[in-house]
Amino acid sequence: MAKKSVATLQTGSKRLTKAIKMVKSPKTGAYTFVEGIMAPELVNDFLNKK
C-alpha cells in the first residue's frame, strides 16, 4: 500500500491538511485513492489506518 500527504490548506484561522492514500482492493487488485481533509495532527492516524 502506497501513501502520501499532499497539501496544507489555510482558511481563515483554521489550518487543514489534505491527505491522499492509495489503497489496493482485495477483490480486484486495483488501486483506488482515498482523500480526506483534516487537522494536521490527525494525518498520521489517517495514513496508518488500513
PDB file of all heavy atoms in Angstrom, residues 6-46:
ATOM      1  N   VAL A   6      -0.522  15.442   0.788  1.00  0.00           N
ATOM      2  CA  VAL A   6      -0.369  16.349  -0.336  1.00  0.00           C
ATOM      3  C   VAL A   6      -0.221  17.815   0.055  1.00  0.00           C
ATOM      4  O   VAL A   6       0.816  18.392  -0.142  1.00  0.00           O
ATOM      5  CB  VAL A   6      -1.554  16.186  -1.305  1.00  0.00           C
ATOM      6  CG1 VAL A   6      -1.474  17.187  -2.411  1.00  0.00           C
ATOM      7  CG2 VAL A   6      -1.543  14.804  -1.881  1.00  0.00           C
ATOM      8  N   ALA A   7      -1.234  18.423   0.593  1.00  0.00           N
ATOM      9  CA  ALA A   7      -1.238  19.882   0.674  1.00  0.00           C
ATOM     10  C   ALA A   7      -1.675  20.359   2.051  1.00  0.00           C
ATOM     11  O   ALA A   7      -2.383  19.665   2.760  1.00  0.00           O
ATOM     12  CB  ALA A   7      -2.176  20.448  -0.366  1.00  0.00           C
ATOM     13  N   THR A   8      -1.251  21.545   2.393  1.00  0.00           N
ATOM     14  CA  THR A   8      -1.721  22.214   3.595  1.00  0.00           C
ATOM     15  C   THR A   8      -2.617  23.366   3.163  1.00  0.00           C
ATOM     16  O   THR A   8      -2.213  24.195   2.349  1.00  0.00           O
ATOM     17  CB  THR A   8      -0.540  22.748   4.424  1.00  0.00           C
ATOM     18  OG1 THR A   8       0.283  21.650   4.772  1.00  0.00           O
ATOM     19  CG2 THR A   8      -1.021  23.413   5.676  1.00  0.00           C
ATOM     20  N   LEU A   9      -3.828  23.388   3.676  1.00  0.00           N
ATOM     21  CA  LEU A   9      -4.813  24.410   3.310  1.00  0.00           C
ATOM     22  C   LEU A   9      -5.046  25.324   4.500  1.00  0.00           C
ATOM     23  O   LEU A   9      -5.164  24.856   5.623  1.00  0.00           O
ATOM     24  CB  LEU A   9      -6.131  23.732   2.919  1.00  0.00           C
ATOM     25  CG  LEU A   9      -6.046  22.603   1.892  1.00  0.00           C
ATOM     26  CD1 LEU A   9      -7.376  21.901   1.800  1.00  0.00           C
ATOM     27  CD2 LEU A   9      -5.645  23.155   0.555  1.00  0.00           C
ATOM     28  N   GLN A  10      -5.109  26.611   4.257  1.00  0.00           N
ATOM     29  CA  GLN A  10      -5.418  27.550   5.322  1.00  0.00           C
ATOM     30  C   GLN A  10      -6.651  28.347   4.932  1.00  0.00           C
ATOM     31  O   GLN A  10      -6.671  28.988   3.880  1.00  0.00           O
ATOM     32  CB  GLN A  10      -4.247  28.491   5.570  1.00  0.00           C
ATOM     33  CG  GLN A  10      -3.062  27.784   6.188  1.00  0.00           C
ATOM     34  CD  GLN A  10      -1.952  28.755   6.532  1.00  0.00           C
ATOM     35  OE1 GLN A  10      -2.005  29.912   6.169  1.00  0.00           O
ATOM     36  NE2 GLN A  10      -0.963  28.258   7.235  1.00  0.00           N
ATOM     37  N   THR A  11      -7.668  28.271   5.786  1.00  0.00           N
ATOM     38  CA  THR A  11      -8.893  29.032   5.561  1.00  0.00           C
ATOM     39  C   THR A  11      -9.164  29.849   6.809  1.00  0.00           C
ATOM     40  O   THR A  11      -9.567  29.316   7.835  1.00  0.00           O
ATOM     41  CB  THR A  11     -10.083  28.100   5.274  1.00  0.00           C
ATOM     42  OG1 THR A  11     -10.233  27.194   6.364  1.00  0.00           O
ATOM     43  CG2 THR A  11      -9.866  27.299   4.013  1.00  0.00           C
ATOM     44  N   GLY A  12      -8.909  31.125   6.747  1.00  0.00           N
ATOM     45  CA  GLY A  12      -9.124  31.982   7.909  1.00  0.00           C
ATOM     46  C   GLY A  12      -8.208  31.576   9.045  1.00  0.00           C
ATOM     47  O   GLY A  12      -6.996  31.577   8.910  1.00  0.00           O
ATOM     48  N   SER A  13      -8.782  31.204  10.173  1.00  0.00           N
ATOM     49  CA  SER A  13      -7.985  30.818  11.324  1.00  0.00           C
ATOM     50  C   SER A  13      -7.805  29.305  11.413  1.00  0.00           C
ATOM     51  O   SER A  13      -7.073  28.826  12.264  1.00  0.00           O
ATOM     52  CB  SER A  13      -8.657  31.320  12.603  1.00  0.00           C
ATOM     53  OG  SER A  13      -9.920  30.699  12.739  1.00  0.00           O
ATOM     54  N   LYS A  14      -8.469  28.548  10.541  1.00  0.00           N
ATOM     55  CA  LYS A  14      -8.366  27.090  10.574  1.00  0.00           C
ATOM     56  C   LYS A  14      -7.210  26.634   9.696  1.00  0.00           C
ATOM     57  O   LYS A  14      -7.018  27.143   8.598  1.00  0.00           O
ATOM     58  CB  LYS A  14      -9.651  26.441  10.075  1.00  0.00           C
ATOM     59  CG  LYS A  14     -10.845  26.718  10.939  1.00  0.00           C
ATOM     60  CD  LYS A  14     -12.061  26.055  10.364  1.00  0.00           C
ATOM     61  CE  LYS A  14     -13.301  26.433  11.168  1.00  0.00           C
ATOM     62  NZ  LYS A  14     -14.499  25.888  10.579  1.00  0.00           N
ATOM     63  N   ARG A  15      -6.453  25.666  10.175  1.00  0.00           N
ATOM     64  CA  ARG A  15      -5.365  25.099   9.394  1.00  0.00           C
ATOM     65  C   ARG A  15      -5.721  23.650   9.107  1.00  0.00           C
ATOM     66  O   ARG A  15      -5.879  22.853  10.023  1.00  0.00           O
ATOM     67  CB  ARG A  15      -4.058  25.187  10.174  1.00  0.00           C
ATOM     68  CG  ARG A  15      -2.868  24.792   9.356  1.00  0.00           C
ATOM     69  CD  ARG A  15      -1.580  25.219  10.019  1.00  0.00           C
ATOM     70  NE  ARG A  15      -0.518  24.467   9.373  1.00  0.00           N
ATOM     71  CZ  ARG A  15       0.343  23.704   9.993  1.00  0.00           C
ATOM     72  NH1 ARG A  15       0.305  23.607  11.300  1.00  0.00           N
ATOM     73  NH2 ARG A  15       1.257  23.049   9.332  1.00  0.00           N
ATOM     74  N   LEU A  16      -5.833  23.301   7.835  1.00  0.00           N
ATOM     75  CA  LEU A  16      -6.251  21.966   7.441  1.00  0.00           C
ATOM     76  C   LEU A  16      -5.228  21.356   6.498  1.00  0.00           C
ATOM     77  O   LEU A  16      -4.495  22.059   5.816  1.00  0.00           O
ATOM     78  CB  LEU A  16      -7.611  22.025   6.738  1.00  0.00           C
ATOM     79  CG  LEU A  16      -8.753  22.625   7.547  1.00  0.00           C
ATOM     80  CD1 LEU A  16      -9.975  22.779   6.669  1.00  0.00           C
ATOM     81  CD2 LEU A  16      -9.067  21.772   8.745  1.00  0.00           C
ATOM     82  N   THR A  17      -5.204  20.034   6.462  1.00  0.00           N
ATOM     83  CA  THR A  17      -4.315  19.308   5.572  1.00  0.00           C
ATOM     84  C   THR A  17      -5.127  18.324   4.756  1.00  0.00           C
ATOM     85  O   THR A  17      -6.004  17.652   5.290  1.00  0.00           O
ATOM     86  CB  THR A  17      -3.238  18.543   6.372  1.00  0.00           C
ATOM     87  OG1 THR A  17      -2.500  19.492   7.121  1.00  0.00           O
ATOM     88  CG2 THR A  17      -2.305  17.790   5.463  1.00  0.00           C
ATOM     89  N   LYS A  18      -4.840  18.244   3.464  1.00  0.00           N
ATOM     90  CA  LYS A  18      -5.497  17.270   2.597  1.00  0.00           C
ATOM     91  C   LYS A  18      -4.543  16.096   2.431  1.00  0.00           C
ATOM     92  O   LYS A  18      -3.414  16.262   1.981  1.00  0.00           O
ATOM     93  CB  LYS A  18      -5.818  17.887   1.240  1.00  0.00           C
ATOM     94  CG  LYS A  18      -6.505  16.924   0.298  1.00  0.00           C
ATOM     95  CD  LYS A  18      -6.847  17.624  -0.997  1.00  0.00           C
ATOM     96  CE  LYS A  18      -7.603  16.677  -1.912  1.00  0.00           C
ATOM     97  NZ  LYS A  18      -7.929  17.329  -3.188  1.00  0.00           N
ATOM     98  N   ALA A  19      -4.998  14.905   2.808  1.00  0.00           N
ATOM     99  CA  ALA A  19      -4.184  13.700   2.702  1.00  0.00           C
ATOM    100  C   ALA A  19      -4.815  12.760   1.682  1.00  0.00           C
ATOM    101  O   ALA A  19      -6.034  12.595   1.646  1.00  0.00           O
ATOM    102  CB  ALA A  19      -4.078  13.011   4.054  1.00  0.00           C
ATOM    103  N   ILE A  20      -3.981  12.160   0.856  1.00  0.00           N
ATOM    104  CA  ILE A  20      -4.436  11.204  -0.151  1.00  0.00           C
ATOM    105  C   ILE A  20      -3.696   9.901   0.080  1.00  0.00           C
ATOM    106  O   ILE A  20      -2.475   9.881   0.192  1.00  0.00           O
ATOM    107  CB  ILE A  20      -4.170  11.713  -1.576  1.00  0.00           C
ATOM    108  CG1 ILE A  20      -4.886  13.036  -1.809  1.00  0.00           C
ATOM    109  CG2 ILE A  20      -4.598  10.678  -2.596  1.00  0.00           C
ATOM    110  CD1 ILE A  20      -4.568  13.677  -3.122  1.00  0.00           C
ATOM    111  N   LYS A  21      -4.461   8.813   0.162  1.00  0.00           N
ATOM    112  CA  LYS A  21      -3.882   7.498   0.418  1.00  0.00           C
ATOM    113  C   LYS A  21      -4.292   6.567  -0.718  1.00  0.00           C
ATOM    114  O   LYS A  21      -5.436   6.556  -1.144  1.00  0.00           O
ATOM    115  CB  LYS A  21      -4.395   6.978   1.759  1.00  0.00           C
ATOM    116  CG  LYS A  21      -3.914   5.617   2.137  1.00  0.00           C
ATOM    117  CD  LYS A  21      -4.222   5.237   3.575  1.00  0.00           C
ATOM    118  CE  LYS A  21      -5.661   5.381   3.958  1.00  0.00           C
ATOM    119  NZ  LYS A  21      -5.949   4.823   5.279  1.00  0.00           N
ATOM    120  N   MET A  22      -3.351   5.787  -1.215  1.00  0.00           N
ATOM    121  CA  MET A  22      -3.636   4.826  -2.270  1.00  0.00           C
ATOM    122  C   MET A  22      -3.858   3.467  -1.615  1.00  0.00           C
ATOM    123  O   MET A  22      -3.001   2.980  -0.879  1.00  0.00           O
ATOM    124  CB  MET A  22      -2.461   4.772  -3.255  1.00  0.00           C
ATOM    125  CG  MET A  22      -2.789   4.071  -4.527  1.00  0.00           C
ATOM    126  SD  MET A  22      -1.582   4.369  -5.819  1.00  0.00           S
ATOM    127  CE  MET A  22      -0.236   3.370  -5.279  1.00  0.00           C
ATOM    128  N   VAL A  23      -5.017   2.847  -1.879  1.00  0.00           N
ATOM    129  CA  VAL A  23      -5.404   1.598  -1.231  1.00  0.00           C
ATOM    130  C   VAL A  23      -5.651   0.536  -2.300  1.00  0.00           C
ATOM    131  O   VAL A  23      -6.334   0.798  -3.289  1.00  0.00           O
ATOM    132  CB  VAL A  23      -6.691   1.800  -0.388  1.00  0.00           C
ATOM    133  CG1 VAL A  23      -7.100   0.514   0.286  1.00  0.00           C
ATOM    134  CG2 VAL A  23      -6.482   2.900   0.633  1.00  0.00           C
ATOM    135  N   LYS A  24      -5.118  -0.653  -2.073  1.00  0.00           N
ATOM    136  CA  LYS A  24      -5.303  -1.755  -3.021  1.00  0.00           C
ATOM    137  C   LYS A  24      -6.558  -2.540  -2.645  1.00  0.00           C
ATOM    138  O   LYS A  24      -6.733  -2.942  -1.501  1.00  0.00           O
ATOM    139  CB  LYS A  24      -4.088  -2.669  -3.001  1.00  0.00           C
ATOM    140  CG  LYS A  24      -4.120  -3.739  -4.057  1.00  0.00           C
ATOM    141  CD  LYS A  24      -2.811  -4.506  -4.093  1.00  0.00           C
ATOM    142  CE  LYS A  24      -2.816  -5.499  -5.213  1.00  0.00           C
ATOM    143  NZ  LYS A  24      -1.552  -6.230  -5.295  1.00  0.00           N
ATOM    144  N   SER A  25      -7.428  -2.775  -3.629  1.00  0.00           N
ATOM    145  CA  SER A  25      -8.659  -3.521  -3.408  1.00  0.00           C
ATOM    146  C   SER A  25      -8.343  -5.010  -3.272  1.00  0.00           C
ATOM    147  O   SER A  25      -7.644  -5.569  -4.112  1.00  0.00           O
ATOM    148  CB  SER A  25      -9.612  -3.301  -4.576  1.00  0.00           C
ATOM    149  OG  SER A  25     -10.723  -4.168  -4.471  1.00  0.00           O
ATOM    150  N   PRO A  26      -8.858  -5.664  -2.227  1.00  0.00           N
ATOM    151  CA  PRO A  26      -8.593  -7.095  -2.072  1.00  0.00           C
ATOM    152  C   PRO A  26      -9.286  -7.958  -3.130  1.00  0.00           C
ATOM    153  O   PRO A  26      -8.804  -9.031  -3.482  1.00  0.00           O
ATOM    154  CB  PRO A  26      -9.114  -7.418  -0.677  1.00  0.00           C
ATOM    155  CG  PRO A  26     -10.041  -6.316  -0.334  1.00  0.00           C
ATOM    156  CD  PRO A  26      -9.619  -5.116  -1.127  1.00  0.00           C
ATOM    157  N   LYS A  27     -10.413  -7.493  -3.664  1.00  0.00           N
ATOM    158  CA  LYS A  27     -11.162  -8.272  -4.658  1.00  0.00           C
ATOM    159  C   LYS A  27     -10.505  -8.238  -6.035  1.00  0.00           C
ATOM    160  O   LYS A  27     -10.256  -9.271  -6.640  1.00  0.00           O
ATOM    161  CB  LYS A  27     -12.593  -7.749  -4.783  1.00  0.00           C
ATOM    162  CG  LYS A  27     -13.467  -8.064  -3.606  1.00  0.00           C
ATOM    163  CD  LYS A  27     -14.880  -7.592  -3.873  1.00  0.00           C
ATOM    164  CE  LYS A  27     -15.798  -7.900  -2.707  1.00  0.00           C
ATOM    165  NZ  LYS A  27     -17.151  -7.420  -2.962  1.00  0.00           N
ATOM    166  N   THR A  28     -10.240  -7.027  -6.536  1.00  0.00           N
ATOM    167  CA  THR A  28      -9.765  -6.893  -7.914  1.00  0.00           C
ATOM    168  C   THR A  28      -8.270  -6.651  -8.026  1.00  0.00           C
ATOM    169  O   THR A  28      -7.697  -6.840  -9.085  1.00  0.00           O
ATOM    170  CB  THR A  28     -10.483  -5.726  -8.611  1.00  0.00           C
ATOM    171  OG1 THR A  28     -10.152  -4.518  -7.928  1.00  0.00           O
ATOM    172  CG2 THR A  28     -11.978  -5.928  -8.622  1.00  0.00           C
ATOM    173  N   GLY A  29      -7.641  -6.195  -6.962  1.00  0.00           N
ATOM    174  CA  GLY A  29      -6.224  -5.874  -7.009  1.00  0.00           C
ATOM    175  C   GLY A  29      -5.949  -4.488  -7.566  1.00  0.00           C
ATOM    176  O   GLY A  29      -4.808  -4.086  -7.668  1.00  0.00           O
ATOM    177  N   ALA A  30      -6.997  -3.749  -7.927  1.00  0.00           N
ATOM    178  CA  ALA A  30      -6.831  -2.400  -8.454  1.00  0.00           C
ATOM    179  C   ALA A  30      -6.605  -1.417  -7.304  1.00  0.00           C
ATOM    180  O   ALA A  30      -7.036  -1.648  -6.175  1.00  0.00           O
ATOM    181  CB  ALA A  30      -8.067  -1.993  -9.244  1.00  0.00           C
ATOM    182  N   TYR A  31      -5.925  -0.335  -7.602  1.00  0.00           N
ATOM    183  CA  TYR A  31      -5.672   0.699  -6.599  1.00  0.00           C
ATOM    184  C   TYR A  31      -6.711   1.805  -6.718  1.00  0.00           C
ATOM    185  O   TYR A  31      -7.107   2.193  -7.814  1.00  0.00           O
ATOM    186  CB  TYR A  31      -4.276   1.296  -6.778  1.00  0.00           C
ATOM    187  CG  TYR A  31      -3.180   0.382  -6.302  1.00  0.00           C
ATOM    188  CD1 TYR A  31      -2.541  -0.473  -7.184  1.00  0.00           C
ATOM    189  CD2 TYR A  31      -2.801   0.365  -4.974  1.00  0.00           C
ATOM    190  CE1 TYR A  31      -1.546  -1.318  -6.749  1.00  0.00           C
ATOM    191  CE2 TYR A  31      -1.809  -0.479  -4.524  1.00  0.00           C
ATOM    192  CZ  TYR A  31      -1.183  -1.313  -5.416  1.00  0.00           C
ATOM    193  OH  TYR A  31      -0.195  -2.151  -4.980  1.00  0.00           O
ATOM    194  N   THR A  32      -7.166   2.304  -5.564  1.00  0.00           N
ATOM    195  CA  THR A  32      -8.072   3.442  -5.518  1.00  0.00           C
ATOM    196  C   THR A  32      -7.468   4.480  -4.583  1.00  0.00           C
ATOM    197  O   THR A  32      -6.625   4.155  -3.739  1.00  0.00           O
ATOM    198  CB  THR A  32      -9.463   3.047  -5.005  1.00  0.00           C
ATOM    199  OG1 THR A  32      -9.337   2.494  -3.697  1.00  0.00           O
ATOM    200  CG2 THR A  32     -10.124   2.032  -5.907  1.00  0.00           C
ATOM    201  N   PHE A  33      -7.906   5.711  -4.721  1.00  0.00           N
ATOM    202  CA  PHE A  33      -7.408   6.790  -3.886  1.00  0.00           C
ATOM    203  C   PHE A  33      -8.484   7.201  -2.890  1.00  0.00           C
ATOM    204  O   PHE A  33      -9.629   7.398  -3.258  1.00  0.00           O
ATOM    205  CB  PHE A  33      -7.011   7.992  -4.746  1.00  0.00           C
ATOM    206  CG  PHE A  33      -5.818   7.714  -5.612  1.00  0.00           C
ATOM    207  CD1 PHE A  33      -5.986   7.300  -6.919  1.00  0.00           C
ATOM    208  CD2 PHE A  33      -4.538   7.845  -5.114  1.00  0.00           C
ATOM    209  CE1 PHE A  33      -4.892   7.039  -7.725  1.00  0.00           C
ATOM    210  CE2 PHE A  33      -3.442   7.582  -5.906  1.00  0.00           C
ATOM    211  CZ  PHE A  33      -3.611   7.177  -7.213  1.00  0.00           C
ATOM    212  N   VAL A  34      -8.083   7.333  -1.634  1.00  0.00           N
ATOM    213  CA  VAL A  34      -8.974   7.787  -0.572  1.00  0.00           C
ATOM    214  C   VAL A  34      -8.448   9.144  -0.117  1.00  0.00           C
ATOM    215  O   VAL A  34      -7.287   9.269   0.246  1.00  0.00           O
ATOM    216  CB  VAL A  34      -8.985   6.787   0.604  1.00  0.00           C
ATOM    217  CG1 VAL A  34      -9.878   7.275   1.718  1.00  0.00           C
ATOM    218  CG2 VAL A  34      -9.413   5.419   0.125  1.00  0.00           C
ATOM    219  N   GLU A  35      -9.306  10.152  -0.156  1.00  0.00           N
ATOM    220  CA  GLU A  35      -8.902  11.500   0.210  1.00  0.00           C
ATOM    221  C   GLU A  35      -9.601  11.935   1.490  1.00  0.00           C
ATOM    222  O   GLU A  35     -10.712  11.506   1.775  1.00  0.00           O
ATOM    223  CB  GLU A  35      -9.273  12.489  -0.892  1.00  0.00           C
ATOM    224  CG  GLU A  35      -8.591  12.246  -2.198  1.00  0.00           C
ATOM    225  CD  GLU A  35      -8.946  13.292  -3.234  1.00  0.00           C
ATOM    226  OE1 GLU A  35      -9.407  14.397  -2.842  1.00  0.00           O
ATOM    227  OE2 GLU A  35      -8.769  13.015  -4.424  1.00  0.00           O
ATOM    228  N   GLY A  36      -8.943  12.802   2.231  1.00  0.00           N
ATOM    229  CA  GLY A  36      -9.540  13.360   3.432  1.00  0.00           C
ATOM    230  C   GLY A  36      -8.933  14.712   3.745  1.00  0.00           C
ATOM    231  O   GLY A  36      -7.748  14.932   3.502  1.00  0.00           O
ATOM    232  N   ILE A  37      -9.737  15.627   4.268  1.00  0.00           N
ATOM    233  CA  ILE A  37      -9.257  16.928   4.722  1.00  0.00           C
ATOM    234  C   ILE A  37      -9.435  16.956   6.230  1.00  0.00           C
ATOM    235  O   ILE A  37     -10.535  16.751   6.742  1.00  0.00           O
ATOM    236  CB  ILE A  37     -10.035  18.074   4.051  1.00  0.00           C
ATOM    237  CG1 ILE A  37      -9.787  18.046   2.549  1.00  0.00           C
ATOM    238  CG2 ILE A  37      -9.619  19.419   4.633  1.00  0.00           C
ATOM    239  CD1 ILE A  37     -10.552  19.078   1.770  1.00  0.00           C
ATOM    240  N   MET A  38      -8.321  17.169   6.932  1.00  0.00           N
ATOM    241  CA  MET A  38      -8.345  17.069   8.393  1.00  0.00           C
ATOM    242  C   MET A  38      -7.295  17.983   9.007  1.00  0.00           C
ATOM    243  O   MET A  38      -6.504  18.592   8.287  1.00  0.00           O
ATOM    244  CB  MET A  38      -8.073  15.627   8.803  1.00  0.00           C
ATOM    245  CG  MET A  38      -6.705  15.151   8.394  1.00  0.00           C
ATOM    246  SD  MET A  38      -6.568  13.417   8.135  1.00  0.00           S
ATOM    247  CE  MET A  38      -7.476  13.209   6.638  1.00  0.00           C
ATOM    248  N   ALA A  39      -7.299  18.033  10.320  1.00  0.00           N
ATOM    249  CA  ALA A  39      -6.287  18.795  11.048  1.00  0.00           C
ATOM    250  C   ALA A  39      -4.931  18.097  10.888  1.00  0.00           C
ATOM    251  O   ALA A  39      -4.874  16.875  10.754  1.00  0.00           O
ATOM    252  CB  ALA A  39      -6.661  18.883  12.521  1.00  0.00           C
ATOM    253  N   PRO A  40      -3.833  18.851  10.877  1.00  0.00           N
ATOM    254  CA  PRO A  40      -2.521  18.251  10.664  1.00  0.00           C
ATOM    255  C   PRO A  40      -2.149  17.171  11.687  1.00  0.00           C
ATOM    256  O   PRO A  40      -1.403  16.248  11.374  1.00  0.00           O
ATOM    257  CB  PRO A  40      -1.558  19.435  10.782  1.00  0.00           C
ATOM    258  CG  PRO A  40      -2.383  20.638  10.508  1.00  0.00           C
ATOM    259  CD  PRO A  40      -3.769  20.304  10.959  1.00  0.00           C
ATOM    260  N   GLU A  41      -2.687  17.252  12.881  1.00  0.00           N
ATOM    261  CA  GLU A  41      -2.372  16.264  13.922  1.00  0.00           C
ATOM    262  C   GLU A  41      -2.957  14.889  13.597  1.00  0.00           C
ATOM    263  O   GLU A  41      -2.486  13.868  14.093  1.00  0.00           O
ATOM    264  CB  GLU A  41      -2.914  16.705  15.288  1.00  0.00           C
ATOM    265  CG  GLU A  41      -2.410  18.048  15.761  1.00  0.00           C
ATOM    266  CD  GLU A  41      -3.229  19.211  15.198  1.00  0.00           C
ATOM    267  OE1 GLU A  41      -4.454  19.108  15.104  1.00  0.00           O
ATOM    268  OE2 GLU A  41      -2.592  20.219  14.847  1.00  0.00           O
ATOM    269  N   LEU A  42      -4.006  14.837  12.787  1.00  0.00           N
ATOM    270  CA  LEU A  42      -4.706  13.585  12.501  1.00  0.00           C
ATOM    271  C   LEU A  42      -4.207  12.877  11.246  1.00  0.00           C
ATOM    272  O   LEU A  42      -4.660  11.775  10.939  1.00  0.00           O
ATOM    273  CB  LEU A  42      -6.204  13.860  12.364  1.00  0.00           C
ATOM    274  CG  LEU A  42      -6.869  14.524  13.565  1.00  0.00           C
ATOM    275  CD1 LEU A  42      -8.316  14.846  13.256  1.00  0.00           C
ATOM    276  CD2 LEU A  42      -6.769  13.639  14.781  1.00  0.00           C
ATOM    277  N   VAL A  43      -3.261  13.475  10.525  1.00  0.00           N
ATOM    278  CA  VAL A  43      -2.808  12.911   9.255  1.00  0.00           C
ATOM    279  C   VAL A  43      -2.144  11.547   9.451  1.00  0.00           C
ATOM    280  O   VAL A  43      -2.429  10.601   8.723  1.00  0.00           O
ATOM    281  CB  VAL A  43      -1.857  13.887   8.532  1.00  0.00           C
ATOM    282  CG1 VAL A  43      -1.220  13.231   7.319  1.00  0.00           C
ATOM    283  CG2 VAL A  43      -2.618  15.126   8.111  1.00  0.00           C
ATOM    284  N   ASN A  44      -1.258  11.420  10.428  1.00  0.00           N
ATOM    285  CA  ASN A  44      -0.577  10.132  10.631  1.00  0.00           C
ATOM    286  C   ASN A  44      -1.541   9.021  10.981  1.00  0.00           C
ATOM    287  O   ASN A  44      -1.374   7.890  10.526  1.00  0.00           O
ATOM    288  CB  ASN A  44       0.494  10.265  11.718  1.00  0.00           C
ATOM    289  CG  ASN A  44       1.704  11.017  11.222  1.00  0.00           C
ATOM    290  OD1 ASN A  44       1.969  11.046  10.034  1.00  0.00           O
ATOM    291  ND2 ASN A  44       2.430  11.631  12.132  1.00  0.00           N
ATOM    292  N   ASP A  45      -2.579   9.319  11.777  1.00  0.00           N
ATOM    293  CA  ASP A  45      -3.586   8.307  12.095  1.00  0.00           C
ATOM    294  C   ASP A  45      -4.332   7.869  10.838  1.00  0.00           C
ATOM    295  O   ASP A  45      -4.596   6.698  10.626  1.00  0.00           O
ATOM    296  CB  ASP A  45      -4.587   8.840  13.117  1.00  0.00           C
ATOM    297  CG  ASP A  45      -3.942   9.089  14.467  1.00  0.00           C
ATOM    298  OD1 ASP A  45      -2.910   8.450  14.762  1.00  0.00           O
ATOM    299  OD2 ASP A  45      -4.483   9.901  15.222  1.00  0.00           O
ATOM    300  N   PHE A  46      -4.669   8.824   9.971  1.00  0.00           N
ATOM    301  CA  PHE A  46      -5.367   8.538   8.726  1.00  0.00           C
ATOM    302  C   PHE A  46      -4.514   7.657   7.814  1.00  0.00           C
ATOM    303  O   PHE A  46      -4.989   6.683   7.238  1.00  0.00           O
ATOM    304  CB  PHE A  46      -5.726   9.845   8.023  1.00  0.00           C
ATOM    305  CG  PHE A  46      -6.308   9.667   6.642  1.00  0.00           C
ATOM    306  CD1 PHE A  46      -7.603   9.232   6.460  1.00  0.00           C
ATOM    307  CD2 PHE A  46      -5.552   9.941   5.510  1.00  0.00           C
ATOM    308  CE1 PHE A  46      -8.147   9.076   5.192  1.00  0.00           C
ATOM    309  CE2 PHE A  46      -6.065   9.778   4.243  1.00  0.00           C
ATOM    310  CZ  PHE A  46      -7.372   9.345   4.082  1.00  0.00           C
TER     311      PHE A  46
END
